[in-house]
Amino acid sequence: GRPSRWIDSVLLFGFMRKHGPVPSVVTCNAALGAVGRAKRWDLSMKLLRKMCGPDRHGLPAANVVTFNTAATTTIEAACWPIAVWLCAMLQMEGLQPDEVTKNIE
């Protein structure tokens, strides 16, 4: 059924990381959205952490959409403080907030 589709997304993402092609930032953002819709904000935070910093585990760098998507997953889980923190982290990563970010802040 539809609720388990996010698991398929995660499995496909894992397969891509192991066998290729290398996930793009769009693919990563789609995976973040899929786990977010499943109310698994913990998994979206795990992926976001892997996309930040110097050792990104072969993943592309997080962009504004990545942070906004992760923040939205935490809002949907009623974790507003984490969403606000993600908006601050976005700027610490050298990214510029967009209209979506400003609505979260």
Side-chain angles (χ1 to χ4, degrees):
R2 184 147 173 81
S4 65
R5 299 288 305 252
W6 72 272
I7 295 171
D8 294 336
S9 297
V10 171
L11 291 173
L12 179 59
F13 184 78
F15 182 86
M16 287 177 70
R17 291 200 59 211
K18 187 172 183 177
H19 301 288
V22 175
S24 69
V25 71
V26 173
T27 306
C28 293
N29 292 345
L32 279 168
V35 296
R37 284 187 297 280
K39 309 293 188 233
R40 291 299 311 266
W41 67 272
D42 58 315
L43 294 177
S44 66
M45 294 299 295
K46 184 176 179 180
L47 177 55
L48 177 64
R49 277 194 304 271
K50 288 182 178 181
M51 294 175 70
C52 294
D55 180 17
R56 294 193 311 268
H57 306 275
L59 295 172
N63 64 14
V64 174
V65 174
T66 310
F67 277 94
N68 290 343
T69 303
T72 300
T73 67
T74 61
I75 290 168
E76 291 173 357
C79 298
W80 276 95
I82 295 173
V84 173
W85 175 78
L86 286 171
C87 292
M89 285 298 300
L90 174 148
Q91 294 177 39
M92 285 191 262
E93 288 287 320
L95 300 170
Q96 293 298 314
D98 65 7
E99 289 303 313
V100 175
T101 313
K102 292 174 185 174
N103 286 330
I104 294 169
E105 294 175 318

